[in-house]
Amino acid sequence: MFKELRSRLGTIWCKFRHESLMWPVHGHYQCRTCGRYYPAFAEAQMANWTTRAALKAAVQLLLAIALLATFAHQARAADAWKAHAPEEAEAALERYAASSEWAPWAIESVEIHASLPRLEKTGLLRAIRRLAPVGKSRYEVLQLAGDRTVKEQVIVRYLKAEERASELPARSVAITPANYKFAYKRTVADGEGFACAFQITPRQKRDGLIKGELWLDQQTGLPVLQSGYLVKSPSVFIKRVAVTRENALCDGIVESRLTHITVDTRLIGRAELVIEERPLRSADAVQFASRDNEGGEQ
């Protein structure tokens, strides 16, 4: 009984799925796919088979036509978007280049959270940074807490590296067409609007230059995100430095900056820093300095 049921199910499946009958031999047709035999010259049976096959082919043809029409519509929409996107991207890049000389904040709050994940050690710095007349920064440390190794080997070293970077001519490290090649990649939603993403590649391998991506706000040309890695290691003890910097925009200005830095070292493993910066006015500086200042290590 089971064999008979299996045979019937197989025959039904063959009739609906297989369409490869061979020429009749000795009064039988044979399915080229599964090898089943069917009586030859059974007109009704073959007519049903042919009808089902024709219907199946017609349905497949209609589905194929519908899919081709859908793909063609999507392709036309994509072509129209691609034709429009470079114009927006070029305009954003022009706005960025016209305002590429970004003036640093005269006074700002800085919070640095640093860690050595392999050693499970962390540290914290809270400070007010003021821009000195000669262009260098002066820090008023409000709090320096956490593990000593993190404070000395990560936070202090970062501040020294930042000081050395400030001595480089600003034009030599700025993300401008003079120092970088820009290649438009895509348009992305950044939460508030749209940004044009460019791949940036340094024209020369120099200190302070990164290879990665730059996102520009479509309306203002302001940088929304910079991410990549330094093309030249600052030390033989450092294998790789990856940087991601996000700017929060409000009414066409940068209201805060969040920077993530990952440093792969040869001695203490990976070091991670998260730096949050915000511009301050004089009253804001006093308020920030008084917040949690008691008990902070100087």
Side-chain angles (χ1 to χ4, degrees):
M1 181 178 179
F2 177 76
K3 290 183 178 180
E4 183 180 357
L5 178 61
R6 185 175 62 180
S7 177
R8 290 183 179 179
L9 291 175
T11 300
I12 294 173
W13 179 260
C14 175
K15 289 182 178 181
F16 276 91
R17 300 296 298 178
H18 301 161
E19 301 172 11
S20 53
L21 290 181
M22 301 171 65
W23 288 101
V25 178
H26 303 299
H28 288 85
Y29 291 99
Q30 184 180 12
C31 176
R32 191 187 303 274
T33 303
C34 66
R36 282 183 169 77
Y37 287 91
Y38 299 94
F41 313 115
E43 299 297 334
Q45 183 177 7
M46 297 311 301
N48 291 337
W49 189 311
T50 305
T51 301
R52 285 192 295 268
L55 288 174
K56 181 179 178 182
V59 171
Q60 291 177 341
L61 179 60
L62 290 174
L63 288 176
I65 293 174
L67 287 174
L68 287 174
T70 301
F71 290 152
H73 175 73
Q74 292 177 347
R76 287 193 297 271
D79 290 341
W81 179 84
K82 289 179 180 178
H84 182 66
E87 296 179 3
E88 297 290 345
E90 185 177 353
L93 187 59
E94 288 178 356
R95 296 187 189 101
Y96 170 77
S99 306
S100 58
E101 298 296 334
W102 305 108
W105 294 319
I107 180 172
E108 61 181 299
S109 65
V110 180
E111 289 193 15
I112 301 177
H113 297 264
S115 65
L116 293 171
R118 193 176 72 177
L119 302 180
E120 298 183 350
K121 298 179 182 297
T122 61
L124 165 69
L125 169 72
R126 292 179 62 251
I128 294 176
R129 180 166 57 197
R130 290 180 170 85
L131 184 65
V134 293
K136 295 184 178 181
S137 299
R138 181 170 59 86
Y139 284 85
E140 177 186 343
V141 178
L142 306 177
Q143 184 181 10
L144 182 60
D147 180 79
R148 180 177 178 180
T149 301
V150 176
K151 291 187 292 184
E152 295 179 355
Q153 300 299 323
V154 182
I155 296 178
V156 173
R157 285 182 179 273
Y158 165 75
L159 296 178
K160 290 182 178 179
E162 186 186 58
E163 182 179 354
R164 290 195 299 270
S166 66
E167 296 174 354
L168 296 173
R171 293 181 179 274
S172 68
V173 295
I175 303 179
T176 61
N179 298 325
Y180 287 86
K181 298 177 182 178
F182 290 77
Y184 171 73
K185 303 298 290 183
R186 61 194 182 280
T187 296
V188 296
D190 60 9
E192 298 295 331
F194 292 94
C196 301
F198 295 87
Q199 179 180 333
I200 53 175
T201 305
R203 296 184 181 276
Q204 296 179 359
K205 190 175 182 180
R206 296 201 310 264
D207 290 334
L209 302 184
I210 69 171
K211 181 178 181 179
E213 283 195 356
L214 173 67
W215 293 11
L216 301 179
D217 181 70
Q218 198 174 67
Q219 298 298 322
T220 64
L222 291 172
V224 176
L225 180 140
Q226 303 168 32
S227 64
Y229 62 91
L230 294 180
V231 294
K232 188 174 181 179
S233 175
S235 169
V236 295
F237 300 106
I238 295 177
K239 295 186 290 184
R240 185 183 178 97
V241 179
V243 181
T244 300
R245 173 171 292 169
E246 302 174 64
N247 291 328
L249 307 183
C250 181
D251 297 330
I253 61 173
V254 179
E255 65 173 1
S256 65
R257 179 179 298 119
L258 188 65
T259 304
H260 299 258
I261 300 176
T262 301
V263 183
D264 291 322
T265 71
R266 302 184 187 277
L267 299 179
I268 56 178
R270 173 171 293 186
E272 297 179 351
L273 299 99
V274 179
I275 303 105
E276 183 177 1
E277 304 165 87
R278 294 179 180 275
L280 294 175
R281 297 184 295 272
S282 298
D284 296 330
V286 173
Q287 183 178 3
F288 182 80
S290 61
R291 179 170 64 89
D292 297 332
N293 193 27
E294 297 181 359
E297 182 180 346
Q298 302 292 327

